[in-house]
């Protein structure tokens, strides 16, 4: 319905209404209630750091209840432990024993990735899981060393200290890095800064993990082929060159036979487990069975005397204290801090991604900040008990889930089995060939190469695919830290591009409706003669305000050239659809003021459609609403177009 320019406007509280000629009441854009600076800051602070409203359960509760809820927040076992029963224990027992059979051989292998003695991998699957079982909120995450973090830690540490020449100092730096990794993780949780890890995009993580998997597998060629002298570099070119140089005299055929045979066995077991969910235990126990069989084979044949490298001695006993070995001062403390922050962030990203995946599958909520506190605490305590950085393991968590775990008690069961291994069984690993550990690691990291997701990323978002491949090739051809740096930089570049170059669209009317949509998405949408409707799909800030203004003027210039070529009437009105504009700053308002002056010189009226409460409030405070006129601010594009047509008709009447 049309209305005349003499329609009466009335401010009724927070709503602007007007009466049309036929007596109908329509709404104009409403103004939000006034807020003081403190109120606005308080709202933004809460939305940034307390978006999940964590204090809600404490409202209107007596002090004793609040204290109990506080303890349950930091120690969830106090909550679910009250309802624990024998049925749940049965599920946790089976799951715990299953993941223990998987973790023991993996831990021995992963400790080699970190350039540490085998027992340190087992230590890291004893203490940290116990701490997580008390403080963690995920029912499914299985804790321990993981391949990517072990490789990252080993790569960064050996750049500072040679692990063979200065073994003790290297180990101390590893504990220092673990301590600061825990401090980083716990601090992010306490300060509720978990959103920072979201800056590492899913695509970048997929590429980084895939590249790390390739790098880890290449590193295992040393044990797989029985090479004694091997490069310390992790890039693919250095590794291939090292393998090629050792081809004539450095390979051992007995080692290759053992490694290839058991790798085939492990891959076959994995295939069986994928074909039938009921046979999940086959790939879970296959690594331990491989270790037992290969160790027995080497012992009875004395293959170690024919060039087959073996683990030799694994120190027996529980974790010794290591708090006095952590560097708290000096240059090594700073180096440990730098390495720990990087390792801690990667560990967090992996653990929380795993936790959220399984929480979604079981339909329960996972508190990311609480998880960070739990992971940080376990690594702080772990660093003081001869452990290196532990986090959630995808392979073990998947087995834990498939085995029917009910609570974090499965981690306790796994931890007890590892303890018994440290106390009783470690001497039996003396003749375990390094080749079998290489085969176990290769079979484990293959699942990190997620080519299906990479292909999906390519189909959906090409820029995301660039981030994915950038991280992948950075790790494969450079190093783990270079790949990580590239993935972060590309992720940040994507954010900057989206912020500084927001999308804009021309709008047209869908025939037979009062709806206006993007003419590229809806080719049947019709443009209105004399009217140009543009939508801005972003907040308008200092970073993009000038671009938004220039882009709108370019839309106008292109449209005017088309109209002139067709000898059609010139533009009289520019309508900016502001529904997607969630916020605007002073630079954005200044850009709109410049646009308004430019349009006035051309004899074109600027009209705004549906600005949000934050935007209209700021425009009002800056007096922009007075400059443009309240009568030129509408609730919808449809109403704005009707007003333009009425004004055009009145202007054309004699």
């Amino acid at each position: 319905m049309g209305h005349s320019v003499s329609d009466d406007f009335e401010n009724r509280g927070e709503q602007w209404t007007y009466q049309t000629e036929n007596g109908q009441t329509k709404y104009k854009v409403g103004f939000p209630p006034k807020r003081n600076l403190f109120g606005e800051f308080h709202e933004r602070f809460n939305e940034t750091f307390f978006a999940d409203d964590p204090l809600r359960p404490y409202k209107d509760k007596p002090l004793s209840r609040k204290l109990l809820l506080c303890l349950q927040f930091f120690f969830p076992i106090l909550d679910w432990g009250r309802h624990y029963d024998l049925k749940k224990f049965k599920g946790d027992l089976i799951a715990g024993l299953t993941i223990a059979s998987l973790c023991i051989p993996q831990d021995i292998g992963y400790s080699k990735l970190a350039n540490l003695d085998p027992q340190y991998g087992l230590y890291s699957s004893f203490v940290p899981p116990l701490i997580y079982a008390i403080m963690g909120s995920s029912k499914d995450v299985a804790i321990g060393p993981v391949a990517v973090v072990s490789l990252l830690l080993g790569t960064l540490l050996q750049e500072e200290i040679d692990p063979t020449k200065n073994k003790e100092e290297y180990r101390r730096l590893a504990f220092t890095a673990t301590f600061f990794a825990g401090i980083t993780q716990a601090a992010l949780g306490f300060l509720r800064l978990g959103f920072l890890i979201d800056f590492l995009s899913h695509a970048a993580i997929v590429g980084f993990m895939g590249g790390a998997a390739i790098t880890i597998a290449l590193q295992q060629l040393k044990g797989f082929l029985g090479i004694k002298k091997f490069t310390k570099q992790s890039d693919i070119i250095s590794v291939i060159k090292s393998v090629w140089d050792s081809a004539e005299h450095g390979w051992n055929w007995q080692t290759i036979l053992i490694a290839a045979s058991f790798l085939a066995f492990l891959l076959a077991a994995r295939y069986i487990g994928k074909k039938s969910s009921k046979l999940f235990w086959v790939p879970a126990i296959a690594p331990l069975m491989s270790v037992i069989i290969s160790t027995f084979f080497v012992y009875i044949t004395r293959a170690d005397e024919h060039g087959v490298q073996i683990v030799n001695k694994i120190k027996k006993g529980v974790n010794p204290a290591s708090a006095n070995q952590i560097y708290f001062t000096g240059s090594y403390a700073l180096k440990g801090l730098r390495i720990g922050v990087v390792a801690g962030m990667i560990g967090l990203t992996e653990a929380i991604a795993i936790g959220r995946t399984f929480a979604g599958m079981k339909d329960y909520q996972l508190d990311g900040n609480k998880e960070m506190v739990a992971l940080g605490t376990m690594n702080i305590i772990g660093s003081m008990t001869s452990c290196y950085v532990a986090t959630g393991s995808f392979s073990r968590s998947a087995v834990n889930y498939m085995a029917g775990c009910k609570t974090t008690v499965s981690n306790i069961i796994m931890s007890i089995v590892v303890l018994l291994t440290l106390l009783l069984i470690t001497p039996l690993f003396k003749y375990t060939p390094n080749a079998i550990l290489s085969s176990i690691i290769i079979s484990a990291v293959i699942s990190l190469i997620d080519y299906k997701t990479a292909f999906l990323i390519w189909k959906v978002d090409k820029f995301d695919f660039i981030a994915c491949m950038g991280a992948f090739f950075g790790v494969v051809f450079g190093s783990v830290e270079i790949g990580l740096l590239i993935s972060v930089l590309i992720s940040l570049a994507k954010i900057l591009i989206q912020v500084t170059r927001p999308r804009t669209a021309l709008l047209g009317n869908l025939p037979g409706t009062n709806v206006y949509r993007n003419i590229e998405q809806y080719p049947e949408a019709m443009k209105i003669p004399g009217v140009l409707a543009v939508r801005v799909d972003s907040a308008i800030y200092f970073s993009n305000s000038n671009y938004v203004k220039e882009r709108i003027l370019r839309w106008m210039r292109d449209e005017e050239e088309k109209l002139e070529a067709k000898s059609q009437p010139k533009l009289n009105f520019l309508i900016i659809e502001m529904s997607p504009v969630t916020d605007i700053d002073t630079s954005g308002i200044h850009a709109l003021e410049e646009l308004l002056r430019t349009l006035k010189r051309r004899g074109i009226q600027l009209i705004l459609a549906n600005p949000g409460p934050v935007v209209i409030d700021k425009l009002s405070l800056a007096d922009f609403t007075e400059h443009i006129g309240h009568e030129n601010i509408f609730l919808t594009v449809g109403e704005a177009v009707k007003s333009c047509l009425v004004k055009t008709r009145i202007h054309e009447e004699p």
Side-chain angles (χ1 to χ4, degrees):
M1 294 240 176
H3 63 276
S4 67
V5 292
S6 61
D7 290 336
D8 296 325
F9 288 87
E10 182 181 1
N11 184 4
R12 296 179 180 173
E14 297 178 357
Q15 298 292 339
W16 285 82
T17 66
Y18 63 90
Q19 298 290 330
T20 61
E21 290 176 343
N22 59 8
Q24 289 185 342
T25 299
K26 290 191 176 181
Y27 286 92
K28 292 289 287 182
V29 173
F31 285 78
K34 298 293 182 183
R35 290 178 300 170
N36 57 32
L37 178 63
F38 176 78
E40 188 172 347
F41 174 80
H42 183 264
E43 179 182 341
R44 295 306 305 162
F45 182 84
N46 282 343
E47 287 302 313
T48 301
F49 297 102
F50 302 98
D52 55 346
D53 194 12
L55 299 179
R56 185 176 182 181
Y58 299 87
K59 292 178 181 177
D60 303 322
K61 296 289 192 302
L63 181 60
S64 58
R65 179 61 179 167
K66 289 180 179 178
L67 289 174
L68 178 61
L69 289 173
C70 184
L71 286 173
Q72 289 176 351
F73 176 83
F74 288 106
F75 305 102
I77 194 171
L78 296 176
D79 182 23
W80 57 259
R82 294 179 299 161
H83 313 290
Y84 198 72
D85 53 32
L86 189 61
K87 183 179 179 181
K88 290 180 180 178
F89 178 72
K90 181 181 177 182
D92 288 334
L93 178 64
I94 295 172
L97 293 173
T98 307
I99 59 176
S101 67
L102 176 63
C103 86
I104 292 170
Q106 282 187 348
D107 290 344
I108 296 172
Y110 291 161
S111 61
K112 286 185 173 293
L113 285 176
N115 300 314
L116 293 167
D117 291 335
Q119 66 268 19
Y120 292 101
L122 295 172
Y123 292 161
S124 302
S125 279
F126 170 45
V127 174
L130 291 177
I131 306 301
Y132 183 83
I134 298 171
M135 300 185 67
S137 56
S138 172
K139 303 173 184 178
D140 305 281
V141 170
I143 297 297
V146 296
V148 174
V149 176
S150 298
L151 175 67
L152 176 66
L153 201 64
T155 303
L156 296 178
L157 289 173
Q158 73 178 3
E159 290 178 359
E160 306 296 339
I161 301 175
D162 191 311
T164 53
K165 295 179 181 178
N166 301 295
K167 201 169 186 178
E168 184 178 349
E169 288 184 355
Y170 180 90
R171 186 168 60 246
R172 292 185 63 183
L173 188 59
F175 297 151
T176 304
T178 302
F179 175 80
F180 285 113
I183 292 292
T184 301
Q185 293 169 335
L188 288 175
F190 275 117
L191 299 177
R192 304 189 67 81
L193 296 174
F195 59 86
L196 292 177
I197 66 172
D198 293 332
F199 279 95
L200 198 60
S201 68
H202 173 66
I205 292 172
V206 169
F208 175 78
M209 290 295 184
I214 297 292
T215 301
I216 291 167
L218 289 173
Q219 290 285 310
Q220 300 317 302
L221 291 176
K222 177 184 178 183
F224 197 95
L225 302 174
I227 301 172
K228 294 182 179 180
K229 292 183 179 180
F230 198 72
T231 179
K232 292 184 178 180
Q233 301 299 317
S234 61
D235 63 283
I236 187 171
I237 295 174
S238 298
V239 171
I240 291 176
K241 185 176 182 298
S242 182
V243 171
W244 180 262
D245 291 343
S246 63
E248 188 174 354
H249 302 292
W251 296 7
N252 180 272
W253 70 267
Q254 295 97 329
T255 300
I256 297 173
L257 179 62
I258 294 171
S261 301
F262 282 100
L263 179 60
F265 169 69
L266 291 167
L267 293 178
R270 180 184 292 274
Y271 177 78
I272 292 171
K274 284 185 177 180
K275 294 296 287 185
S276 175
S277 59
K278 293 181 180 180
L279 297 175
F280 69 90
W281 54 271
V282 174
I285 67 168
L288 186 60
M289 293 299 299
S290 299
V291 169
I292 293 172
I293 295 171
S294 63
T295 301
F296 180 71
F297 174 78
V298 170
Y299 176 73
I300 61 173
T301 62
R302 296 316 305 262
D304 56 308
E305 296 178 357
H306 300 281
V308 175
Q309 299 175 38
I310 58 175
V311 171
N312 284 317
K313 185 180 180 181
I314 298 180
K315 189 175 179 180
K316 188 177 179 181
V318 297
N319 306 32
S322 58
N324 61 336
Q325 297 185 42
I326 297 173
Y327 292 109
F328 292 105
T329 58
S331 61
Y332 282 152
L334 293 176
K335 292 173 182 178
L337 172 62
R338 178 180 62 83
I339 297 170
V341 168
V342 175
M345 293 292 283
I346 293 298
L348 268 187
T349 304
E350 186 169 356
I352 291 181
I354 293 167
R356 285 174 177 170
T357 299
F358 290 107
M361 293 170 70
K362 284 191 175 179
D363 194 25
Y364 65 89
Q365 293 296 318
L366 189 72
D367 188 330
N369 290 299
K370 189 188 297 185
E371 282 293 282
M372 292 176 194
V373 173
L375 292 165
T377 304
M378 77 179 192
N379 277 316
I380 292 171
I381 296 175
S383 69
M384 299 178 181
T385 52
S386 298
C387 304
Y388 73 93
V389 181
T391 187
S393 165
F394 183 79
S395 58
R396 271 173 262 180
S397 298
V399 170
N400 198 28
Y401 172 81
M402 296 294 291
C405 69
K406 303 300 180 184
T407 67
T408 54
V409 169
S410 60
N411 275 287
I412 298 176
I413 302 297
M414 177 190 72
S415 181
I416 292 172
V417 174
V418 172
L419 172 63
L420 294 175
T421 301
L422 285 166
L423 291 174
L424 305 173
I425 308 176
T426 50
L428 300 179
F429 289 110
K430 178 181 179 181
Y431 290 99
T432 299
N434 289 335
I436 192 62
L437 300 178
S438 297
S439 298
I440 290 170
I441 292 173
I442 291 172
S443 67
V445 299
I446 284 176
S447 61
L448 296 177
I449 307 172
D450 195 350
Y451 62 90
K452 291 182 179 178
T453 300
F455 181 68
L456 179 63
I457 291 170
W458 163 257
K459 289 198 300 182
V460 174
D461 192 321
K462 300 300 186 290
F463 199 100
D464 263 358
F465 185 75
I466 293 174
C468 179
M469 290 297 99
F472 177 82
F473 288 118
V475 174
V476 171
F477 289 97
S479 62
V480 176
E481 59 266 39
I482 289 175
L484 180 61
L485 179 62
I486 290 174
S487 63
V488 171
L489 290 177
I490 293 178
S491 298
L492 291 176
K494 181 181 179 181
I495 295 173
L496 289 175
I497 290 173
Q498 291 176 336
V499 169
T500 59
R501 295 295 183 265
R503 295 183 183 275
T504 57
L506 283 183
L507 305 181
N509 176 243
L510 295 177
T513 73
N514 198 32
V515 176
Y516 288 77
R517 290 292 183 267
N518 187 343
I519 60 175
E520 288 188 1
Q521 185 178 4
Y522 300 92
E524 67 273 21
M526 305 289 292
K527 294 180 183 177
I528 308 300
V531 178
L532 181 68
V534 179
R535 188 182 69 219
V536 180
D537 293 334
S538 168
I540 304 177
Y541 291 130
F542 66 93
S543 58
N544 62 21
S545 57
N546 190 61
Y547 169 79
V548 170
K549 181 194 70 173
E550 296 294 337
R551 188 67 185 93
I552 291 173
L553 290 174
R554 186 146 51 95
W555 280 123
M556 289 184 57
R557 185 178 66 248
D558 294 344
E559 189 67 19
E560 286 174 337
E561 289 175 356
K562 292 178 183 177
L563 293 174
E564 186 177 351
K566 297 178 181 179
S567 300
Q568 294 181 353
K570 72 180 188 70
L571 290 175
N572 295 313
F573 303 95
L574 171 66
I575 301 173
I576 302 179
E577 161 68 280
M578 302 191 74
S579 297
V581 182
T582 55
D583 202 355
I584 191 170
D585 65 3
T586 53
S587 297
I589 296 172
H590 181 66
L592 288 181
E593 290 172 342
E594 289 182 344
L595 179 63
L596 179 62
R597 287 194 292 269
T598 302
L599 294 177
K600 282 184 177 179
R601 287 195 295 269
R602 298 185 184 183
I604 299 174
Q605 176 63 57
L606 176 62
I607 295 174
L608 304 182
N610 196 27
V614 175
V615 174
I616 193 65
D617 186 37
K618 291 184 178 181
L619 293 178
S620 176
L621 292 171
D623 292 331
F624 184 79
T625 53
E626 300 297 329
H627 297 321
I628 193 175
H630 289 288
E631 69 277 8
N632 292 314
I633 304 175
F634 291 86
L635 195 63
T636 66
V637 175
E639 291 184 5
V641 170
K642 289 179 183 178
S643 175
C644 294
L645 294 177
V646 169
K647 291 178 181 179
T648 302
R649 193 163 56 246
I650 292 174
H651 186 266
E652 291 175 349
E653 290 178 357

